[in-house]
């Protein structure tokens, strides 16, 4: 189904008159028996599918389902976090017969996905990163995510070996717990190589602001950072700007090595293909779908980009050894003794936190050695 037709479907459902004319506006609209023998899955992206970042990672996962017999995939990109996403979900259900929908962007969850869960109680919705709670959210909703902080720790290991200035940089969108964990993990990985390394962070304030991302990257390089990573929707601008200034790059979300092959060290990537196949297999088998799904490197939810040509043999050895420890399970990125960048103790000697516990604790600090503020 073409992008043009999917967009026209959303336009048709923007008014009740158009929906009524097609007999599609009601939640009670019967799904065609033609879909009974197959599973139709919908994916919704807040940006373009080829953004070298968050949306591309999801689209790559969705693409793997297309080769599975009996699975139909419908997608729509560039859908804002507004009532438009409700129209898209309704369209996928009523026009395409979707029985499972993945609204992938953070702002799709509340109120938009929850509204569709109430309107279509027989359909299943799973949101990336949403903190589904059994005490307040419907059972046809759920959330899935990956423990990618370990990937940023490995990025830090590569960065720690590559930096000459002992200053690394991080372009961040917003100071939410997952972003703070990624910043902390990046520095702590680098400090496993050299405890004197510091990390400068600049927050842009939004998930996708190309101009500010370029300005932040340039500012970090101007301040001496010679290895840069990020947590924004599309790392493309950060990668190309940093490489253009001669800095090394550690990627995020997807593999950005084609953008800067000589400067790309490695990257923390999502492996959504594993997650989406798990859901689809359960749906096709008639099994109940899990409402809260999490996993890390050892579970195949997260993967690392291949090491680039600039990575030294010493870096490769430490990277591979650390990755092997992570694959055993139970690896602790945050462990004491550790202070935050305000001097407060956040982990005592011998105290460790696995990433699952950190997520539940809602990290709200930057560790000692991070130059920047969450304010």
């Amino acid at each position: 189904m073409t992008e043009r037709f999917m967009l026209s479907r959303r336009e048709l459902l923007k008014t009740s008159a158009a929906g009524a004319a097609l007999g599609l506006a009601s939640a009670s609209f019967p799904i065609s028996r033609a879909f009974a023998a197959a599973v139709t899955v919908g994916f919704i992206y807040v940006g373009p599918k080829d953004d070298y970042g968050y949306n591309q990672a999801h689209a790559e996962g969705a693409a793997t389902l297309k080769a599975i017999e009996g699975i139909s995939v419908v997608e729509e990109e560039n859908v804002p976090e507004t009532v438009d996403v409700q129209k898209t979900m309704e369209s996928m259900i009523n026009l395409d017969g979707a029985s499972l929908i993945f609204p992938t962007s953070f702002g799709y969850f509340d109120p938009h996905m929850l509204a569709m869960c109430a309107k279509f109680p027989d359909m299943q919705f799973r949101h990336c990163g949403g903190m589904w709670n059994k005490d307040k959210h419907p059972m046809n909703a759920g959330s899935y995510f990956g423990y990618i902080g370990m990937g940023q720790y490995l990025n830090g290991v590569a960065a720690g070996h590559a930096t000459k200035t002992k200053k690394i940089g991080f372009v961040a969108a917003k100071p939410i717990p997952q972003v703070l964990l990624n910043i902390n993990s990046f520095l702590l990985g680098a400090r496993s190589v050299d405890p004197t390394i510091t990390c400068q962070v600049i927050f842009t304030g939004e998930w996708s602001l190309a101009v500010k991302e370029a300005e932040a990257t340039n500012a970090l390089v101007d301040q001496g950072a010679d290895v840069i990573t990020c947590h924004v929707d599309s790392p493309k601008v950060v990668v190309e700007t940093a490489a253009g200034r001669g800095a090394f790059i550690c990627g995020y979300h997807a593999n950005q090595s084609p953008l800067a092959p000589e400067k790309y060290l490695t990257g923390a990537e999502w492996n959504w293909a594993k997650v989406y196949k798990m859901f689809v297999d359960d749906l096709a088998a008639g099994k109940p779908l899990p409402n809260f799904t999490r996993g890390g490197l050892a579970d195949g939810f997260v993967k690392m980009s291949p090491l680039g040509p600039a990575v030294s043999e010493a870096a490769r050895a430490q990277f591979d050894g650390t990755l092997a420890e992570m694959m055993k399970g139970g690896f602790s990125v945050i462990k004491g003794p550790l202070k935050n960048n305000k001097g407060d103790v956040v982990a005592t000697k011998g105290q460790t936190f696995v990433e699952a516990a950190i997520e539940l604790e809602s990290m709200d600090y930057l560790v000692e050695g991070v130059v920047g503020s969450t304010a």
Side-chain angles (χ1 to χ4, degrees):
M1 188 165 293
T2 65
E3 296 296 335
R4 180 176 299 176
F5 182 63
M6 285 191 286
L7 288 172
S8 67
R9 291 192 287 107
R10 188 170 12 136
E11 293 298 323
L12 283 172
L13 289 175
K14 280 188 175 180
T15 67
S16 59
L22 291 174
L24 301 175
S26 170
S28 63
F29 177 78
I31 300 301
S32 169
R33 290 185 179 274
F35 294 104
V39 173
T40 300
V41 185
F43 292 87
I44 307 171
Y45 315 114
V46 73
K49 295 191 296 181
D50 58 352
D51 67 349
Y52 280 97
Y54 183 83
N55 297 289
Q56 180 169 318
H58 285 290
E60 288 174 354
T64 63
L65 300 183
K66 298 176 183 178
I68 302 175
E69 185 177 357
I71 302 298
S72 295
V73 173
V74 292
E75 303 169 278
E76 189 160 354
E77 57 188 338
N78 298 311
V79 181
E81 295 174 328
T82 66
V83 70
D84 279 1
V85 73
Q86 296 187 38
K87 301 298 183 182
T88 294
M89 285 186 270
E90 190 167 355
S91 171
M92 287 179 170
I93 292 168
N94 286 332
L95 289 176
D96 300 302
S99 53
L100 171 61
I101 295 180
F102 294 102
T104 60
S105 190
F106 181 79
Y108 290 161
F109 183 73
D110 189 358
H112 307 298
M113 191 185 92
L114 295 179
M116 291 295 99
C117 287
K119 191 170 186 178
F120 296 94
D122 294 331
M123 304 302 158
Q124 293 291 323
F125 302 82
R126 294 297 181 271
H127 177 259
C128 183
M131 294 297 289
W132 179 84
N133 186 317
K134 66 178 180 180
D135 295 327
K136 63 180 181 179
H137 295 139
M139 292 302 294
N140 63 332
S143 71
Y144 61 97
F145 206 61
Y147 299 131
I148 202 166
M150 289 183 284
Q152 280 288 15
Y153 186 94
L154 288 167
N155 274 350
V157 171
H161 283 274
T163 181
K164 303 299 183 185
T165 64
K166 307 304 178 185
K167 296 179 180 180
I168 57 180
F170 201 113
V171 179
K174 300 181 181 184
I176 65 171
Q178 180 62 55
V179 176
L180 300 182
L181 176 59
N182 283 338
I183 297 165
N184 293 336
S185 299
F186 183 55
L187 175 61
L188 292 172
R191 285 195 155 188
S192 71
V193 180
D194 184 340
T196 68
I197 293 173
T198 60
C199 178
Q200 173 77 44
V201 59
I202 297 177
F203 292 97
T204 65
E206 293 293 342
W207 297 111
S208 183
L209 280 176
V211 173
K212 285 193 175 181
E213 289 160 12
E215 291 173 349
T217 305
N218 280 315
L220 291 171
V221 175
D222 288 343
Q223 293 169 43
D226 56 357
V227 186
I228 309 291
T229 192
C230 64
H231 185 159
V232 296
D233 267 5
S234 174
K236 185 174 188 292
V237 169
V238 174
V239 170
E240 293 180 332
T241 303
R245 293 291 306 276
F248 289 109
I249 296 296
C250 290
Y252 190 63
H253 290 316
N255 187 352
Q256 291 96 37
S257 61
L259 300 174
E262 299 304 314
K263 291 295 185 178
Y264 194 83
L265 300 176
T266 185
E269 301 182 38
W270 302 108
N271 186 28
W272 295 130
K274 170 72 176 288
V275 182
Y276 291 145
K277 189 174 186 302
M278 287 170 53
F279 279 113
V280 166
D281 285 346
D282 284 348
L283 188 68
K287 297 179 180 178
L289 301 188
N291 298 100
F292 191 85
T293 303
R294 296 293 188 273
L297 280 161
D299 307 291
F301 284 36
V302 177
K303 60 184 178 179
M304 296 302 296
S305 303
L307 295 173
V311 178
S312 68
E313 289 304 313
R316 288 174 184 270
Q318 185 176 348
F319 180 97
D320 289 341
T322 305
L323 176 58
E325 288 299 311
M326 290 179 172
M327 295 299 286
K328 295 176 183 177
F331 185 89
S332 298
V333 170
I334 304 296
K335 54 189 175 183
L338 186 66
K339 295 180 179 180
N340 64 20
N341 65 357
K342 296 179 181 178
D344 304 317
V345 174
V346 292
T348 58
K349 185 176 181 180
Q351 189 176 17
T352 62
F353 296 90
V354 295
E355 195 162 343
I358 294 168
E359 180 181 43
L360 296 176
E361 291 290 328
S362 297
M363 179 169 284
D364 60 359
Y365 60 85
L366 292 169
V367 299
E368 186 176 27
V370 176
V371 182
S373 173
T374 60

